[in-house]
Amino acid sequence: MSYKKVYLKPGKEESLKRFHPWVFSGAIHRIEGEPEEGEVVNVYTSKNEFIAMGHFQIGSIAVRVISFLEEDVNKDFWKRKLAIAYDLRKRIGLADNPTNNTFRLVHGEGDNLPGLIIDIYDKTAVMQAHSAGMHVYRMELAEALSEVMEGRIENIYYKSETTLPYKADLGPENGFLKGGSPENIAIEYGLKFYVDWLKGQKTGFFVDQRENRALLEKYAKDRNVLNMFCYTGGFSFYAMRGGAKLVHSVDSSAKAVDLTNKNVELNFPGDPRHTAYAEDAFKYLDRMGDQYDLIILDPPAFAKHKDALRNALQGYRKLNAKAFEKIKPGGILFTFSCSQVVTKDNFRTAVFTAAAMAGRSVRILHQLTQPADHPVNIYHPEGEYLKGLVLYVE
Ligand code: SAH
């Protein structure tokens, strides 16, 4: 198969030589033919040497690399790539765990598939394209996925309406590419969750907090827990299972609070220890008392772009300062940032400043990140996005 060609400016192949998977538009000298949004192109150095192939897209990232070898991109190609991702999940004990049927199968650049996310919820895969290329190839990907997972996947839901570059005008529609079962209960380490892949955030559930939730369970015994930004209530149920005295879940979205309440009924029907509140985080933190000795702060990304960094850091400072002011002596704070543009150091500085503002003595117990099914490609360190600190507050 011959693909259209992209030629780089002299010296602009350096990052590709180090297997970084993006070609920025500024690095391109000329493009042969007129590739469409999402079309596969071959990339050549200024000396006419093949260096990579990837999906073309109009924008600052012009090519997202899908291979450093010259290959035919067809169903077999996708099958090989997906099989590698599946194999990794099997080898780390996530794909065949009787107590857990929820995991991320494909994590974009982390699985050498830039622009593609696939989360597995038992027999359903939720597929999300963040690039025009993955959108264009969605049907081939869906077929490859069914074959690679050997009858295990009965439904494939495509959910890209809000994640694709709107300028590309791809007219994406959410919908089932395979099956269509409304059955939507996922199991994470023995706990059950309704996953709303039709209307929920992301692919319907935040798979990336699994290991951090499991860690929280160990610290929950006899504590009064506040799960701020609870969404489906994930952290709350681990706290309950861990023996918490009471658990309050808070989210500004009424839908999230409904989901949380439904999930309480699935796991701990009628348990009087849990209450959920639909309220703004800052308001709740202002009005709450000092009864909590385990607090989780897992806000949405405060900065989606570099320009928003300063405001985001201020947001993290304010939010954490409120928790430090109110948490009981001997309390534990689980605090997170999922903004990609906020570095680990940025986040630490914001949290440490907040601790100092509140005048508390604080120790770091754990430094958390995303789990193994959200791997970071070492040639693409930008893929590390989730940062967390577990802090002991004297
Ligand atoms: N901790 C969750 C994921 C949190 S996602 C989990 O483990 O699954 C972030 C959540 O913050 C969303 O549910 C969103 O509705 C909520 N949110 C956003 N802004 C908020 C605010 N100002 N106050 C309270 N909740 C907010």
Side-chain angles (χ1 to χ4, degrees):
M1 189 84 189
S2 82
Y3 298 107
K4 287 174 189 156
K5 294 177 179 174
V6 168
Y7 292 91
L8 300 177
K9 292 176 184 163
K12 292 294 184 190
E13 68 281 3
E14 284 308 314
S15 65
L16 290 175
K17 277 192 182 157
R18 292 192 305 271
F19 304 113
H20 191 278
W22 295 342
V23 176
F24 289 98
S25 56
I28 294 175
H29 169 57
R30 86 189 156 86
I31 301 174
E32 217 176 78
E34 277 188 19
E36 285 177 20
E37 294 264 19
E39 199 173 321
V40 171
V41 292
N42 281 345
V43 182
Y44 293 84
T45 67
S46 59
K47 296 194 181 104
N48 236 344
E49 291 158 331
F50 171 89
I51 186 152
M53 62 195 309
H55 286 141
F56 177 77
Q57 188 166 315
I58 296 165
S60 126
I61 305 172
V63 182
R64 288 169 171 79
V65 175
I66 53 173
S67 181
F68 289 96
L69 304 170
E70 215 170 338
E71 300 181 72
D72 280 344
V73 180
N74 49 29
K75 192 168 84 186
D76 280 341
F77 172 86
W78 299 117
K79 276 177 75 174
R80 284 198 301 280
K81 304 280 265 188
L82 293 176
I84 293 170
Y86 190 30
D87 194 46
L88 187 155
R89 276 69 183 173
K90 285 190 206 154
R91 286 172 192 260
I92 60 175
L94 266 177
D96 298 302
N97 181 335
T99 69
N100 186 78
N101 62 24
T102 303
F103 61 93
R104 178 156 289 191
L105 175 71
V106 174
H107 184 59
E109 281 82 356
D111 284 293
N112 298 314
L113 288 162
L116 183 67
I117 298 292
I118 301 177
D119 285 338
I120 305 295
Y121 302 106
D122 194 17
K123 296 188 181 76
T124 300
V126 181
M127 194 166 112
Q128 197 162 63
H130 291 252
S131 69
M134 291 303 180
H135 175 72
V136 168
Y137 282 86
R138 65 195 179 284
M139 294 311 297
E140 234 170 54
L141 278 162
E143 280 171 36
L145 175 64
S146 301
E147 290 177 30
V148 165
M149 293 195 73
E150 299 155 358
R152 186 170 162 167
I153 293 301
E154 292 173 8
N155 312 289
I156 300 178
Y157 188 70
Y158 184 62
K159 190 169 192 285
S160 299
E161 240 170 39
T162 56
T163 55
L164 280 167
Y166 72 97
K167 278 190 209 136
D169 203 15
L170 300 161
E173 272 176 34
N174 290 348
F176 282 96
L177 302 180
K178 178 182 178 167
S181 162
E183 177 102 30
N184 63 348
I185 294 177
I187 300 177
E188 185 187 85
Y189 287 162
L191 292 166
K192 294 184 194 135
F193 293 90
Y194 282 108
V195 180
D196 186 357
W197 44 72
L198 304 190
K199 295 198 206 76
Q201 303 178 41
K202 305 267 171 175
T203 63
F205 187 65
F206 285 79
V207 187
D208 58 359
Q209 288 287 23
R210 181 186 53 246
E211 304 305 324
N212 302 331
R213 293 181 188 123
L215 177 67
L216 179 102
E217 183 171 353
K218 295 195 204 163
Y219 290 116
K221 195 157 177 41
D222 293 331
R223 289 189 184 263
N224 292 335
V225 181
L226 171 63
N227 180 10
M228 181 53 77
F229 307 99
C230 66
Y231 188 36
T232 55
F235 283 100
S236 301
F237 311 122
Y238 284 83
M240 290 171 84
R241 192 166 66 181
K245 244 194 276 176
L246 72 85
V247 179
H248 291 164
S249 305
V250 181
D251 200 291
S252 58
S253 148
K255 256 200 251 157
V257 166
D258 284 349
L259 258 178
T260 299
N261 282 327
K262 274 173 83 181
N263 286 333
V264 177
E265 287 313 302
L266 269 185
N267 293 287
F268 303 96
D271 195 321
R273 293 177 298 161
H274 183 269
T275 316
Y277 301 93
E279 193 167 341
D280 173 74
F282 287 91
K283 286 198 184 128
Y284 188 90
L285 291 166
D286 275 340
R287 78 166 172 87
M288 74 183 195
D290 57 2
Q291 72 266 42
Y292 300 114
D293 54 2
L294 180 53
I295 297 181
I296 302 115
L297 297 176
D298 184 23
F302 281 171
K304 298 226 162 88
H305 308 282
K306 280 219 172 82
D307 313 340
L309 184 60
R310 249 178 65 110
N311 282 343
L313 293 178
Q314 199 180 3
Y316 289 118
R317 261 196 315 274
K318 272 174 59 184
L319 182 68
N320 283 278
K322 287 193 193 298
F324 282 128
E325 278 162 24
K326 301 271 179 84
I327 195 167
K328 258 191 184 166
I332 294 178
L333 175 64
F334 276 63
T335 184
F336 297 95
S337 162
C338 60
S339 311
Q340 191 149 355
V341 296
V342 173
T343 66
K344 217 187 290 180
D345 282 343
N346 287 156
F347 180 59
R348 273 177 165 232
T349 307
V351 174
F352 296 175
T353 309
M357 278 158 65
R360 301 295 292 266
S361 169
V362 176
R363 290 178 183 74
I364 303 176
L365 304 184
H366 300 273
Q367 302 175 54
L368 306 179
T369 183
Q370 62 219 55
D373 53 341
H374 294 57
V376 182
N377 177 345
I378 59 166
Y379 305 115
H380 180 259
E382 300 94 318
E384 189 177 345
Y385 70 99
L386 185 62
K387 301 152 288 282
L389 292 167
V390 181
L391 303 167
Y392 180 80
V393 188
E394 245 177 71

